[in-house]
Amino acid sequence: MRSTSRLTLAVVAVALGLSACGGSSGSSSAPASAASSTSTASSAPETSSAASSSISVAADPSGALKFTKSTLSAKAGTVTISFTNSSPLAHNLTVQQGTSGTVLGATPTFTGGTKTLKLTLKAGTYTYYCSVPGHRAGGMQGTLTVQ
């Protein structure tokens, strides 16, 4: 009887240990059911005194190839952009330096819900757009001014 109790205790301990470790994996991809996604890109070194801004934008819910806002503004430093897609079409939010510069970050392409993109940005002008083929050319882009 005593060895059965020890065996049961050992099985419970192993199960608890595995469940505690199961929440993290070496993979950088989030599960498909995740409510938000965070990507980080940097165009300036981070400092502890950097300002932070939170802004939001959405895809046109009617399915038109446009965002609900064509201009956004934020303070230089850490900028968190919440992108909501209630459209029947899959979209993403991609941010690049200037109008044809380096892509600094993007949300995954998705339908339904909100994804978050976190960037460290210097003062300047950035372009945000949907990188799904044909969407940017169809008018799904805007300007982000960082001051």
Side-chain angles (χ1 to χ4, degrees), residues 3-140:
S3 65
T4 305
S5 296
R6 286 184 181 160
L7 179 61
T8 303
L9 183 58
V11 168
V12 169
V14 169
L16 287 173
L18 288 175
S19 67
C21 295
S24 177
S25 69
S27 171
S28 64
S29 62
S33 62
S36 72
S37 173
T38 301
S39 299
T40 303
S42 178
S43 65
E46 284 196 53
T47 61
S48 60
S49 63
S52 65
S53 298
S54 293
I55 53 179
S56 62
V57 66
D60 183 280
S62 73
L65 295 181
K66 64 180 185 176
F67 291 105
T68 55
K69 299 174 188 172
S70 60
T71 60
L72 297 171
S73 62
K75 293 179 184 176
T78 302
V79 178
T80 303
I81 306 169
S82 294
F83 172 57
T84 302
N85 185 12
S86 299
S87 168
L89 301 174
H91 294 296
N92 65 50
L93 180 85
T94 302
V95 176
Q96 74 180 30
Q97 210 162 14
T99 56
S100 60
T102 304
V103 171
L104 302 175
T107 67
T109 300
F110 68 101
T111 54
T114 300
K115 304 288 183 187
T116 303
L117 178 61
K118 188 174 183 179
L119 304 167
T120 301
L121 302 173
K122 295 180 191 177
T125 302
Y126 300 84
T127 300
Y128 61 95
Y129 61 95
C130 178
S131 68
V132 172
H135 290 202
R136 184 177 189 180
M140 197 163 187

